[in-house]
Amino acid sequence: MTTKEYTRCLIVGSGPAGYTAAIYAGRANLKPIQYCGPQTGGQLTQTTEVENFPGYPQGVDGNQMMLDLREQAQRFGADIRDGEIVKADFSRKPYLLITDNGTEIETETIIVATGASAKYLGLSDEQKYAGQGVSACATCDGFFYRKKVVAVVGGGDTACEEATYLAGLCSKVYMIVRKPYLRASDVMKKRVEENEKIEILYEHNTLGLYGENGVEGAHLVKRLGETDEQRYDLPLDGFFLAIGHTPNTSVFKAWLDCDNVGYIRTQAGTPKTNIEGVFAAGDCADSVYRQAVVAAGSGCMAALEAERYLAEHNK
Ligand code: NDP
């Protein structure tokens, strides 16, 4: 039998945006229901130290921070659940959401805070060697590569952070960077450039991976398409992707205005989407800043807007 529920406020996602929305909605007595999504705690659970969230002068472990936010939301009555929203119907009111175990939830307001997921290069070898040398999370899988040789693809802050982390475990870390420079912030750049274990391979692309039982190396090309193009194989034990993210908005795309990548479009300076009572917060609606503190702030805004909407509609 299908379980049917009703709530005034449903929050989807459990990163800094989702939990902050739950804290505010809980304190406003909206009794929010929150579905955590496939990765409880979101992307910060895959990072090590968060050094730039205000209020933690010594930094804070990403996992711990998310556990603290969860506890804080629960303290104010948020009903936090494991599971995913797999279907949405915004053509009717209350809005209808269906969970992965078939529960139907009617809600007056919804806060979409589904975050973003790591991107892959699109090589068939990434699938072939998934869990056998290919990873998009150094802090999750780095442990398996102690004293081994690995590569990190990408030249942004994430790639630098992952490379630095891996350098603490591995004997050698290559960074495979397609441009002749790193895109990362100066402090992160300096950190990798000064690390003896890290070697940056500029103007390099990956053509494929090889290995009998798991990754044994990568087929690389330097200066692809140029007259001095050079192809060679680089022996490796692990291959880590750090090339950016895709917003997790597929469930809502049919209803909500999104940009061409899939980030939800909100009305300038607000978390309001094109559908009243539906708000977006955090990385699923932010292709520019993508910071935990920004996500938390937008989660707060979404909850305040949900509260206002409910009051205006006498719900
Ligand atoms: P970015 O988009 O900043 O960087 C992605 C990197 O991957 C770029 O070097 C890009 O190359 C490269 N790349 C993308 N696609 C490919 C491809 N197909 N093949 C090869 N290389 C590719 O993403 P990040 O995840 O690094 O950062 C996202 C945001 O999060 C940024 O604003 C960043 O500052 C922030 N951040 C902050 C941290 C902190 O403050 N502690 C930690 C991590 C992230 P190219 O430059 O050529 O486009």
Side-chain angles (χ1 to χ4, degrees):
M1 204 180 79
T2 310
T3 308
K4 293 183 194 253
E5 291 185 76
Y6 170 84
T7 183
R8 294 163 74 211
C9 180
L10 181 76
I11 299 165
V12 193
S14 58
Y19 281 145
T20 305
I23 291 166
Y24 274 77
R27 275 192 97 230
N29 209 23
L30 304 187
K31 298 189 170 58
I33 294 176
Q34 179 173 21
Y35 273 83
C36 286
Q39 187 180 38
T40 298
Q43 293 177 73
L44 282 188
T45 59
Q46 305 204 336
T47 198
T48 40
E49 194 87 338
V50 180
E51 292 178 332
N52 48 13
F53 200 91
Y56 297 97
Q58 305 306 322
V60 58
D61 176 82
N63 251 308
Q64 188 56 50
M65 186 168 125
M66 300 321 294
L67 289 171
D68 289 346
L69 285 174
R70 182 187 176 103
E71 196 184 320
Q72 197 174 350
Q74 279 169 329
R75 181 178 149 215
F76 296 116
D79 178 353
I80 302 177
R81 304 173 180 180
D82 290 331
E84 291 178 52
I85 298 298
V86 294
K87 206 167 171 203
D89 183 355
F90 296 160
S91 68
R92 58 190 298 279
K93 285 186 180 172
Y95 302 125
L96 178 67
L97 286 308
I98 299 173
T99 73
D100 53 354
N101 70 1
T103 301
E104 293 184 0
I105 303 179
E106 286 191 323
T107 183
E108 301 295 344
T109 62
I110 171 161
I111 296 172
V112 181
T114 45
S117 297
K119 276 202 266 189
Y120 286 77
L121 294 171
L123 302 170
S124 59
D125 288 340
E126 288 169 318
Q127 278 156 20
K128 182 176 169 189
Y129 295 108
Q132 288 187 292
V134 172
S135 168
C137 177
T139 47
C140 314
D141 301 325
F143 183 77
F144 303 114
Y145 299 91
R146 275 174 307 164
K147 298 193 169 54
K148 295 192 171 174
V149 179
V150 299
V152 176
V153 186
D157 279 326
T158 303
C160 291
E161 200 177 71
E162 306 264 272
T164 306
Y165 176 77
L166 289 166
L169 296 165
C170 305
S171 59
K172 173 93 189 177
V173 180
Y174 293 99
M175 287 184 75
I176 302 172
V177 180
R178 66 181 174 181
K179 293 236 171 84
Y181 55 85
L182 293 172
R183 182 202 284 222
S185 55
D186 287 344
V187 59
M188 298 301 269
K189 262 189 230 172
K190 197 159 177 274
R191 220 172 267 179
V192 293
E193 282 165 357
E194 288 177 357
N195 193 314
E196 285 177 353
K197 283 197 193 163
I198 299 175
E199 183 175 339
I200 307 172
L201 304 175
Y202 290 109
E203 297 182 88
H204 275 68
N205 281 285
T206 311
L207 300 174
L209 302 169
Y210 62 88
E212 287 287 318
N213 299 307
V215 169
E216 288 172 17
H219 304 299
L220 299 184
V221 53
K222 185 178 180 187
R223 291 178 55 77
L224 179 68
E226 302 297 325
T227 48
D228 57 351
E229 176 185 298
Q230 202 184 330
R231 291 176 184 237
Y232 65 100
D233 288 349
L234 180 70
L236 294 170
D237 301 299
F239 185 80
F240 288 82
L241 283 308
I243 59 167
H245 294 82
T246 307
N248 302 321
T249 53
S250 57
V251 172
F252 304 102
K253 258 190 199 163
W255 306 102
L256 301 182
D257 278 350
C258 293
D259 69 9
N260 56 357
V261 179
Y263 286 96
I264 298 169
R265 286 204 174 98
T266 52
Q267 293 174 31
T270 80
K272 293 178 184 172
T273 69
N274 56 306
I275 296 186
E276 63 168 13
V278 180
F279 307 97
D283 284 13
C284 67
D286 177 9
S287 60
V288 180
Y289 300 109
R290 295 180 287 193
Q291 299 297 302
V293 67
V294 178
S298 69
C300 158
M301 289 160 73
L304 293 176
E305 288 294 351
E307 190 186 349
R308 196 167 295 165
Y309 173 88
L310 290 166
E312 280 168 5
H313 291 78
N314 297 316
K315 297 289 183 189

